[in-house]
Amino acid sequence: MVKYKQHVQDMLDVNDSVFSEFKEIHDKYEKEPHKWQEEFNEKGREILPILQRWENSLCAKSESGKYGKFSSTLADKFRAEVKVHFPKVEYIGMRVKN
């Protein structure tokens, strides 16, 4: 398995309870954004620092080495893989207008 995909899977496994709760709200938010907006943002605030920590952990080694120029691409791949599991993750903190 590719390193960034493995990193996402490890993140989901280590934080299983937090991500399973978020998955429930995420799925409801996908169907009815107006109804679940507040709860989605509330649970999302718990998710964002976890995502940032794991992304930093993945990219930290490559930034300081000879492959530093590829770390932004690696971060993009990491985020894209997260979006495979949670397509609306980028909507955390946003408000949907009626």
Side-chain angles (χ1 to χ4, degrees):
M1 183 180 288
V2 182
K3 187 174 182 175
Y4 67 90
K5 288 185 179 190
Q6 183 62 50
H7 219 65
V8 169
Q9 191 58 53
D10 291 346
M11 174 187 69
L12 295 174
D13 292 344
V14 169
N15 300 288
D16 183 48
S17 62
V18 177
F19 279 104
S20 62
E21 288 177 25
F22 181 68
K23 180 70 174 161
E24 289 177 29
I25 299 303
H26 179 276
D27 293 346
K28 292 175 183 177
Y29 177 76
E30 276 189 303
K31 294 174 185 165
E32 298 178 89
H34 298 306
K35 183 177 179 182
W36 296 99
Q37 182 74 58
E38 293 300 320
E39 197 168 348
F40 176 76
N41 286 336
E42 186 178 314
K43 289 290 181 189
R45 283 187 207 103
E46 297 175 28
I47 297 300
L48 290 178
I50 296 170
L51 291 173
Q52 190 64 48
R53 190 172 343 119
W54 281 81
E55 180 181 335
N56 290 345
S57 150
L58 176 65
C59 297
K61 296 172 189 149
S62 67
E63 284 178 353
S64 61
K66 64 182 178 180
Y67 299 108
K69 63 184 176 185
F70 299 110
S71 68
S72 65
T73 305
L74 187 58
D76 292 342
K77 288 179 180 180
F78 177 83
R79 288 290 176 156
E81 184 63 22
V82 169
K83 285 171 54 175
V84 167
H85 300 277
F86 305 104
K88 299 288 185 180
V89 73
E90 291 182 342
Y91 290 84
I92 295 172
M94 293 185 181
R95 297 204 179 269
V96 177
K97 290 192 172 195
N98 294 333

